[in-house]
Amino acid sequence: MTTYIAQFIAKHIKIPTRQHSIFIWHQESGEIDAELLENKIKREAAIHFYRLESKDSMDIGLADISVEVLKAMPFGG
């Protein structure tokens, strides 16, 4: 099992705040599947960020969030 780190920007279609953050996960060694990583970031990080950011308790859905992974690499820290 290898630990990886990714730098990303998440955007919501209605909330103007962008989430600039990092995400750490474990997977078997090998190629990083960008689409799977983006979906994992949406489910495990971005959706919670936008639920906190939402001032009027609007319904936040995964389809309303886009994720751009800027960089991903093995993490030894």
Side-chain angles (χ1 to χ4, degrees):
M1 197 64 88
T2 302
T3 302
Y4 291 88
I5 188 168
Q7 178 184 16
F8 72 92
I9 298 172
K11 302 173 191 171
H12 189 272
I13 60 172
K14 294 181 182 173
I15 300 171
T17 305
R18 293 182 180 185
Q19 179 187 16
H20 295 255
S21 193
I22 61 166
F23 184 77
I24 297 173
W25 77 103
H26 301 282
Q27 73 173 47
E28 295 296 325
S29 296
E31 287 291 317
I32 297 170
D33 184 326
E35 186 176 341
L36 287 174
L37 175 57
E38 290 171 12
N39 287 328
K40 188 172 185 67
I41 291 170
K42 282 183 189 182
R43 287 189 320 270
E44 297 179 23
I47 196 162
H48 304 293
F49 174 84
Y50 284 110
R51 285 180 178 159
L52 284 170
E53 186 67 20
S54 174
K55 294 184 176 38
D56 59 3
S57 301
M58 71 169 57
D59 186 36
I60 304 294
L62 292 175
D64 300 332
I65 301 169
S66 64
V67 171
E68 177 186 0
V69 176
L70 304 173
K71 186 175 182 179
M73 60 189 219
F75 180 63

